[in-house]
Amino acid sequence: MSASDPNCVFCKIVAGQIPAKKVHEDDEILVFHDINPWAPVHILLIPKQHIVSMVDVRPEHAPVLGRMMALVPQLMRDLGVTDGYRQVINTGRDGGQEVMHLHMHAFGGPRPWKRG
Ligand code: 5GP
Ligand code: ZN
């Protein structure tokens, strides 16, 4: 799998070709607000590398996935989420994945939420 896909919307965000409200960026990971939030706080965590979905994850991706997971508590705290949150990864068509670049949703803030 190549490092980026020129037709992928999330690769375009990584490349700065389309704007996003960034929450966190480091050498491997980008985090930004979802354009169509379901909850008061709805962020997306992505590896900068173009991995299509969890189906494509290989052992060498474990460190970046672990780092994504471990970032969530700090980011949610910084965004003012104080009473819990939900993390979701949709995988493939039947899993409801619409953007084919692996991403983890994190939803938080007071309910009711639009979905979830
Ligand atoms: P999926 O259904 O693939 O798990 O979720 C994709 C998410 O990406 C959706 O919640 C959708 O609102 C979000 N999204 C799609 N295109 C863009 C975009 O260009 N910018 C941002 N910030 N979010 C996007
Ligand atoms: Zn991509």
Side-chain angles (χ1 to χ4, degrees), residues 49-89:
Q49 181 187 359
H50 182 80
I51 303 167
V52 173
S53 81
M54 286 301 293
V55 169
D56 301 283
V57 167
R58 302 287 171 260
E60 61 268 28
H61 300 134
V64 70
L65 293 180
R67 289 191 54 236
M68 279 167 54
M69 188 68 87
L71 267 172
V72 173
Q74 174 73 52
L75 297 178
M76 293 307 250
R77 204 159 40 234
D78 290 350
L79 290 166
V81 172
T82 55
D83 205 13
Y85 47 85
R86 173 176 291 186
Q87 288 163 248
V88 170
I89 300 177

Side-chain angles (χ1 to χ4, degrees), residues 33-39 42 114-115:
H33 290 276
D34 196 289
I35 204 167
N36 184 20
W38 296 6
H42 180 177
K114 273 195 206 159
R115 293 164 74 178

Side-chain angles (χ1 to χ4, degrees), residues 3-5 8-12 48-51 100-102:
S4 77
D5 174 342
C8 167
V9 63
F10 287 175
C11 285
K12 288 181 183 173
K48 286 186 169 178
Q49 181 187 359
H50 182 80
I51 303 167
M100 292 298 160
H101 179 134
L102 173 59

